[in-house]
Amino acid sequence: MLDKLFAAPADTLHQLVQIGSAADSSLFVTIMKTFSSWAVPVLIFLIIILGWYKKVKVYETFIEGAKDGFNVAVKIIPYLVAILVAIGMFRASGAMDVFVALLSPLTNLIGMPAETLPVAIMRPLSGSGALGIVTELMKQHGPDSFIGRLASTMWGSSETTFYVVAVYFGSVGIRRVRHSIAAGLIGDTVGLVMAVIICRLVFG
Amino acid sequence: MNYIWLGLMVIALVVGAINGRIDAVTKAAVDNAAAAVEIALGLIGIMTLWLGIMKIAEKGGIIRILSRAIRPLARFLFPTIPSDHPAIGAMLMNLIANWLGLGNAATPLGLKAMEELQKLNKSTDTATNDMATFLALNTATICLIPMTVIAVRAQLGSANPFEIISTTILASTCATIAGVTAVKLLQRLPSIKKSDPNHQENISPSKEEGHHVG
């Protein structure tokens, strides 16, 4: 059903991604890698030079800002302990299997292979946990299998929402996060579902 | 967050007990508590460095320049933040660090942005709409090159470890759009609106008593 719905844009998308993939391994990656390794030093250089040009006392100002570093790091400890302990216990309990069983009828509808469902559930909870599952899947099925490619795409296309929420809000003492978790999880879900649809169109 | 945390803990304890893995659950609790502190302490150095650099950036005006550069987009995403406020520049730097996969710099820059956003917050413990939007942008962030997973693919002998870049960028773009749409729609819900610390009715003292949030 979904295939028919996406049949028209599928060709265009396929071609677009093919073009993208062809460039992937060569130019694009070289540019991005160079950019990544130069970004931090260039940024620091520009900030300091511009500060000096604007007659900012750079050393004194650095110290003034830097003295908060310790406090911020210490401030996030309770938030981080709370969320990481809960996630760790959840993983160790084997509750993942229960969730996989509950959600698999839903994910079958969009054509997500059952093997990749644990990646989807683990991704917002723990980046390294999800990477472990992805690695395991690629060992079993091969990195260039559909499952391997899909799992890789899923890993890259969403974030560890719970960690980010705990750390970011923790640093400023926010306890009532309101709709941020819901919005973050909606973003994650759409990312994961789109990963399935896009991978089926491109690699399927 | 209350229900999610409660849910995770209760499910873990109940399912762990049924599965006979209660020892593993206990061990995970202890280990992860220690790991959390290690992560936080590990942030001290990089945090201190970036907060120092960012202070220079703030005083030298580079953050203000960045803020002005993305004014139209910022006005749409964060309508209540003045367009040359340092919060905008700090958020932009965090998002760029995320796009480039500079994980080390991204967290301190994000926390700096949160500090700036908190200055615009009338409450000490409740998130503003702008914070929620920033978090949505951040949790559904577009990573241009997911190097970690590419490295694993290469190690496992993939013929083209990079072929997932385009699919990843496409999927995460959708995730970002969905996250921002969700945050903008959710904040219109009456219950979410009511808990907004910067909402007019919530800050006017005359109505505060009859209008308890929470």
Side-chain angles (χ1 to χ4, degrees):
Chain A
M1 195 186 81
L2 268 172
D3 290 334
K4 274 182 195 149
L5 196 68
F6 286 95
D11 276 343
T12 333
L13 184 66
H14 193 85
Q15 278 162 0
L16 262 176
V17 172
Q18 288 301 317
I19 297 166
S21 298
D24 275 354
S25 38
S26 53
L27 191 65
F28 182 63
V29 170
T30 319
I31 294 172
M32 288 306 303
K33 269 188 184 162
T34 318
F35 205 62
S36 298
S37 54
W38 280 92
V40 169
V42 168
L43 189 65
I44 293 181
F45 177 79
L46 284 179
I47 289 172
I48 295 176
I49 290 296
L50 192 77
W52 170 76
Y53 175 75
K54 291 268 171 109
K55 301 196 167 52
V56 175
K57 288 183 174 165
V58 285
Y59 178 74
E60 283 90 334
T61 309
F62 179 90
I63 301 295
E64 189 192 328
K67 67 177 192 286
D68 294 331
F70 183 81
N71 289 334
V72 173
V74 171
K75 206 169 166 185
I76 61 175
I77 288 179
Y79 298 85
L80 211 49
V81 169
I83 197 70
L84 291 188
V85 165
I87 290 169
M89 287 166 67
F90 181 84
R91 286 179 61 185
S93 72
M96 182 74 90
D97 304 334
V98 180
F99 268 78
V100 170
L102 282 175
L103 287 173
S104 55
L106 270 178
T107 51
N108 285 340
L109 278 180
I110 58 162
M112 181 193 282
E115 292 91 334
T116 57
L117 186 52
V119 182
I121 299 173
M122 187 56 83
R123 192 62 185 93
L125 297 173
S126 156
S128 55
L131 188 65
I133 302 174
V134 172
T135 310
E136 206 46 54
L137 282 176
M138 288 200 287
K139 269 186 198 157
Q140 267 175 38
H141 302 270
D144 297 328
S145 63
F146 179 69
I147 289 177
R149 287 159 165 171
L150 173 60
S152 311
T153 304
M154 286 165 83
W155 192 87
S157 53
S158 61
E159 251 289 352
T160 43
T161 300
F162 289 97
Y163 170 82
V164 173
V165 167
V167 171
Y168 279 34
F169 280 129
S171 70
V172 286
I174 300 284
R175 279 175 289 245
R176 301 185 53 221
V177 302
R178 296 174 62 229
H179 53 310
S180 352
I181 288 265
L185 290 180
I186 290 172
D188 286 338
T189 312
V190 170
L192 294 166
V193 170
M194 286 312 289
V196 176
I197 294 173
I198 292 168
C199 281
R200 287 195 66 187
L201 294 176
V202 176
F203 303 125
Chain B
M1 197 66 191
N2 256 322
Y3 292 110
I4 289 171
W5 195 74
L6 184 72
L8 281 173
M9 297 288 276
V10 170
I11 291 170
L13 289 167
V14 171
V15 177
I18 295 170
N19 281 351
R21 293 197 195 168
I22 208 70
D23 287 338
V25 173
T26 315
K27 188 177 181 305
V30 177
D31 289 353
N32 277 281
V37 175
E38 254 169 57
I39 293 174
L41 294 183
L43 271 175
I44 292 177
I46 189 84
M47 200 65 226
T48 305
L49 169 64
W50 276 107
L51 285 178
I53 295 289
M54 286 295 280
K55 197 72 174 180
I56 301 176
E58 211 181 306
K59 287 204 175 166
I62 213 168
I63 293 192
R64 232 163 259 273
I65 294 170
L66 281 176
S67 301
R68 287 209 194 106
I70 53 155
R71 191 177 289 180
L73 186 63
R75 198 170 280 169
F76 165 71
L77 287 172
F78 306 100
T80 58
I81 303 182
S83 55
D84 60 347
H85 194 275
I88 304 279
M91 286 191 283
L92 182 63
M93 289 178 76
N94 161 262
L95 291 174
I96 293 174
N98 269 324
W99 293 332
L100 299 178
L102 309 171
N104 263 345
T107 305
L109 294 173
L111 298 189
K112 176 72 186 171
M114 287 304 285
E115 184 197 317
E116 294 295 338
L117 287 173
Q118 182 60 18
K119 287 181 189 161
L120 295 163
N121 190 354
K122 302 220 160 59
S123 151
T124 52
D125 67 345
T126 307
T128 59
N129 287 345
D130 297 324
M131 287 176 174
T133 309
F134 176 52
L135 262 285
L137 279 174
N138 215 294
T139 57
T141 225
I142 300 166
C143 183
L144 292 178
I145 300 200
M147 268 331 283
T148 324
V149 81
I150 290 172
V152 175
R153 291 174 61 78
Q155 205 185 356
L156 293 175
S158 167
N160 182 3
F162 299 105
E163 70 187 345
I164 50 103
I165 291 181
S166 355
T167 51
T168 303
I169 292 178
L170 276 174
S172 56
T173 307
C174 296
T176 306
I177 295 170
V180 172
T181 313
V183 94
K184 292 286 172 194
L185 290 178
L186 284 171
Q187 74 193 27
R188 294 182 174 198
L189 290 176
S191 59
I192 301 286
K193 217 175 204 173
K194 224 167 104 183
S195 61
D196 181 359
N198 290 356
H199 193 253
Q200 303 267 304
E201 287 179 30
N202 295 338
I203 47 177
S204 92
S206 58
K207 285 189 181 172
E208 209 168 44
E209 274 159 294
H211 212 106
H212 260 298
V213 185

